[in-house]
Amino acid sequence: MSASDIRFMEMAISQAQRSEPVPSAYCVGAVLVKDNKVLATGYSRELPGNTHAEECCLLKLSNMAVAEGATIYTTMEPCGERLSGNTPCAHRLVDAKVARVVMGVKEPPSFIAECQGSALLRDNGITVDYLAGFEEACLAPNKHVI
């Protein structure tokens, strides 16, 4: 765990705290980083269309190609399945060709019995790192559903 990993995860946590709690979804924050520079930030439902944090980061890019080789810090495991029918975040990250995903917690089983996001990312050559020590802070915005 590097100092920059800690700094960017703390930024993701602050993004998650901006999410409006709703009974049917988590409050997640994300920060997309490349060459130690923030490309975009996002949080659950920030943009119209029942958007997830990672999705918001990608939607804010003027050119999706800049995400190639980037790292995304997210407070919760990127979804591998969405009950809404929208494209899961793990698939979006694969399509964007990010190199690394750093997450604070695995997705709890409140909505999907077992999240397959991490497995899908790894199966597609993306490094997935779990940043220990941030569990409480990452779960705090989700007390309404956990």
Side-chain angles (χ1 to χ4, degrees):
M1 174 177 5
S2 70
S4 58
D5 284 342
I6 293 168
R7 179 168 53 103
F8 293 129
M9 183 57 74
E10 288 173 345
M11 287 177 68
I13 291 166
S14 70
Q15 288 294 306
Q17 293 166 344
R18 298 177 67 185
S19 298
E20 182 77 27
V22 297
S24 59
Y26 296 114
C27 293
V28 178
V31 179
L32 185 65
V33 177
K34 189 172 184 179
D35 299 324
N36 221 29
K37 293 186 177 111
V38 175
L39 300 176
T41 61
Y43 58 90
S44 302
R45 297 168 298 286
E46 178 183 7
L47 301 175
N50 186 28
T51 53
H52 287 190
E54 303 90 344
E55 177 182 10
C56 288
C57 285
L58 296 173
L59 288 172
K60 290 178 182 179
L61 299 177
S62 58
N63 178 357
M64 189 65 69
V66 301
E68 186 171 347
T71 296
I72 192 159
Y73 293 83
T74 181
T75 57
M76 190 176 289
E77 177 181 14
C79 63
E81 178 182 347
R82 289 186 67 174
L83 298 177
S84 67
N86 292 340
T87 302
C89 293
H91 291 276
R92 290 176 188 273
L93 296 171
V94 168
D95 291 345
K97 299 180 181 165
V98 301
R100 181 177 178 227
V101 174
V102 180
M103 62 180 188
V105 295
K106 293 266 304 156
E107 182 178 323
S110 301
F111 304 112
I112 303 289
E114 186 177 343
C115 182
Q116 297 297 316
S118 294
L120 187 125
L121 294 165
R122 285 187 182 105
D123 289 348
N124 283 276
I126 296 173
T127 301
V128 178
D129 291 325
Y130 167 71
L131 201 57
F134 289 89
E135 299 86 357
E136 189 174 323
C138 290
L139 291 173
N142 296 289
K143 292 194 186 312
H144 66 288
V145 290
I146 298 175

